[in-house]
Amino acid sequence: MTGWAADQGVEGSIVTFLGDPRSEVTKALGLVLDHPGPMSVLGTPRCKRFSMLIDDGIIKTINVAAAVDDPAGDDNPTVSLVDKMLSDL
């Protein structure tokens, strides 16, 4: 995750990248992407595309980019991108 943060130019900023290799957080948040469409390509369940604003350990907003016809949120990820997060602040 450190390498990804460095690549994105956010290393040492207020942005924190976290991994979830056993999907513990993904499952607890109810954000498991296990739809047959994406699963046929990805092979194993993944985390849905989302952004989350956490303040002092309290989840303020969760923005999930998914729709009935786009379970992975690839066609319209807007709700999980920076502009939405900035508006949530």
Side-chain angles (χ1 to χ4, degrees):
M1 299 306 293
T2 303
W4 189 15
D7 180 69
Q8 297 302 303
V10 298
E11 190 174 37
S13 73
I14 65 168
V15 175
T16 303
F17 284 30
L18 302 170
D20 186 22
R22 291 182 297 278
S23 298
E24 295 165 312
V25 174
T26 300
K27 291 173 186 172
L29 292 170
L31 294 173
V32 176
L33 175 60
D34 55 6
H35 186 278
M39 287 284 295
S40 69
V41 177
L42 300 172
T44 59
R46 304 290 174 99
C47 185
K48 292 180 181 178
R49 181 188 307 266
F50 76 98
S51 62
M52 181 169 28
L53 175 62
I54 303 171
D55 184 20
D56 199 23
I58 298 170
I59 298 172
K60 298 294 185 173
T61 60
I62 297 179
N63 305 304
V64 182
V68 173
D69 60 339
D70 181 24
D74 292 335
D75 293 338
N76 187 12
T78 307
V79 71
S80 65
L81 300 178
V82 67
D83 288 336
K84 175 63 173 127
M85 185 57 62
L86 290 172
S87 74
D88 289 346
L89 291 172

